[in-house]
Amino acid sequence: MALGIDIYRYQTVTDWNAVRSAGVSFVYVKGSDGGGPALVRADAQVRGAQSVDLPVGLYHYAQLSPSPEAQANVLTAEVRRLDATGLPPALDLEDPHRPGPAARDFAFRFLNQLRANGFQSVTLYANTSMLTGINADTIGVPNTIVWAAQYGPNDGRRHPLRYNGRANIHQYTSVGGVPGISGQVDLNESLTELPGADMPLTQDDINRVANAVWEQHRPLLHDWSVMNPMWVWLVGANMGAWEAATRPFPPPPNPEEAVQKLAEAIAVPLREELSQRNGELDADAIAVAIARRFVPTEPTPTDPQT
């Protein structure tokens, strides 16, 4: 089990090193709300957590409109913009939603859209009354992490979680205190290991997949227009550094088509790599998530501007 926090504009982090030294090991930040980004963008808090190597993810506060799919796409855009992939993206399902069929349908559609957007794992946050009211255990979205809020006396200490359903994270107080943070903060305890948002593989795993892709596609290297996104990924993986794959490359004419081509190539050896793993891992979703990280969609500062 591990200690985590979730924060927004109501908390001011003055010392991220102190936060980490206090035992915090994961961080959720509010990234979006309804049809747009959060009123106060998550940039500073995400960068702060990343600066001390704390896994950080974003959560979305659900409104009644626009559609669940549109709201999931807003969160997806913020996660990608900030590279906040240390934790699976999360749906925060509370007021104005009420426990019942409508809220269940919203959660199902929102989480499915996140999966369609390439996230291998997703997170559902709600209090235990909401989780019970939507029967979260049977929500039917693979690899859903359940984040249950239940405070008891809400005295800053963790009390037993009294909930009959499955829970991976327990939010146990809203009046916690953490060195390096001004004011009160939500505290959470992970009850199971938390995966990253889209990279459940080690670098060795990635290298084996990259080598297999390389052997399969080496005859195509003469066709730069086909191989550019593939080359970006292979160079980064085989050098053992994800950052190497973000070196300046011009974006392809159709980034989404390039993502799909690269994902298709990655998925074949990836399925073989995952065949001896947990059967719930979705090779196609992971392949898309990997591909999106390496296909540039906007000109880099060194690209010629037209």
Side-chain angles (χ1 to χ4, degrees), residues 34-123:
L39 181 62
V40 175
R41 294 290 185 102
D43 298 53
Q45 291 173 326
V46 168
R47 299 298 181 225
Q50 291 172 335
S51 73
V52 294
D53 296 323
L54 282 175
V56 59
L58 299 184
Y59 72 87
H60 173 88
Y61 194 98
Q63 302 290 353
L64 296 177
S65 64
S67 70
E69 292 80 9
Q71 294 189 51
N73 289 339
V74 171
L75 175 60
T76 297
E78 285 298 278
V79 170
R80 290 177 181 159
R81 183 178 70 84
L82 295 173
D83 194 27
T85 58
L87 297 170
L91 166 63
D92 179 354
L93 190 65
E94 50 185 295
D95 185 69
H97 293 271
R98 296 287 184 267
R104 176 183 170 89
D105 179 68
F106 185 100
F108 175 78
R109 291 168 58 187
F110 184 101
L111 297 173
N112 262 328
Q113 184 64 34
L114 288 181
R115 294 266 300 170
N117 289 345
F119 296 107
Q120 197 268 332
S121 297
V122 294
T123 298

Side-chain angles (χ1 to χ4, degrees), residues 209-224:
V209 173
N211 287 333
V213 175
W214 175 267
E215 292 300 324
Q216 179 183 357
H217 291 270
R218 184 162 48 182
L220 301 177
L221 283 177
H222 67 280
D223 188 346
W224 181 252

Side-chain angles (χ1 to χ4, degrees), residues 115 120 142-143 271 274-283:
R115 294 266 300 170
Q120 197 268 332
N143 298 333
R271 290 191 193 98
L274 296 178
S275 63
Q276 300 178 354
R277 304 289 198 88
N278 185 336
E280 293 186 355
L281 291 177
D282 186 335

Side-chain angles (χ1 to χ4, degrees), residues 157-173:
R157 295 180 296 170
R158 182 167 182 256
H159 298 271
L161 176 61
R162 303 190 184 281
Y163 168 58
N164 292 329
R166 176 178 62 86
N168 305 93
I169 307 173
H170 178 198
Q171 185 186 81
Y172 61 86
T173 186

Side-chain angles (χ1 to χ4, degrees), residues 33 40 49 95 122 128 141 150-151 153 158 177 179-180 227 235 249 267 282 291:
D33 188 322
V40 175
D95 185 69
V122 294
T128 52
V141 180
Q150 187 182 76
Y151 299 161
R158 182 167 182 256
M227 290 303 298
V235 168
F249 277 85
D282 186 335

Side-chain angles (χ1 to χ4, degrees), residues 155-217:
D155 56 7
R157 295 180 296 170
R158 182 167 182 256
H159 298 271
L161 176 61
R162 303 190 184 281
Y163 168 58
N164 292 329
R166 176 178 62 86
N168 305 93
I169 307 173
H170 178 198
Q171 185 186 81
Y172 61 86
T173 186
S174 61
V175 296
V178 173
I181 299 179
S182 300
Q184 298 173 332
V185 62
D186 295 342
L187 298 182
N188 305 273
E189 189 77 16
S190 64
L191 309 178
T192 61
E193 183 177 354
L194 302 179
D198 57 6
M199 295 293 163
L201 308 177
T202 67
Q203 184 62 55
D204 286 343
D205 296 331
I206 293 296
N207 286 345
R208 285 193 292 272
V209 173
N211 287 333
V213 175
W214 175 267
E215 292 300 324
Q216 179 183 357
H217 291 270

